[in-house]
Amino acid sequence: RQMCKETGIEEETFSNWVGQATARAMSSGPVPVKDSEVALIKGTPTVLVNGKEFQPEVHGDLANFVASLEESE
């Protein structure tokens, strides 16, 4: 509860920004992530790692996905 107060969650300090960023990401784009291969967010959750979209049904385990990205760098 204390962390919520300290970060402004309880007061919804950033609610306008969250609403605008969500609308932009899901309707007009682009996703504001450097080197992102994702133009629009199509659903939630959407997980991006170094701009690459993690898809459990394609990539399996998140840790292995992250490791594969590190190997390719």
Side-chain angles (χ1 to χ4, degrees):
R1 185 139 176 91
Q2 181 63 31
M3 187 172 94
C4 288
K5 287 183 179 181
E6 291 172 5
T7 59
I9 293 172
E10 193 168 85
E11 290 82 24
E12 297 185 8
T13 302
F14 302 101
S15 64
N16 286 339
W17 179 86
V18 170
Q20 293 169 358
T22 301
R24 183 176 59 249
M26 295 188 79
S27 64
S28 62
V31 176
V33 176
K34 182 180 177 189
D35 299 326
S36 175
E37 61 185 28
V38 178
L40 292 174
I41 301 296
K42 297 178 185 141
T44 59
T46 298
V47 178
L48 301 175
V49 179
N50 294 342
K52 307 288 185 220
E53 184 175 10
F54 168 67
Q55 299 174 335
E57 63 279 359
V58 174
H59 302 112
D61 181 74
L62 178 59
N64 290 333
F65 176 66
V66 171
S68 72
L69 292 177
E70 290 173 347
E71 290 173 7
S72 66
E73 291 181 353

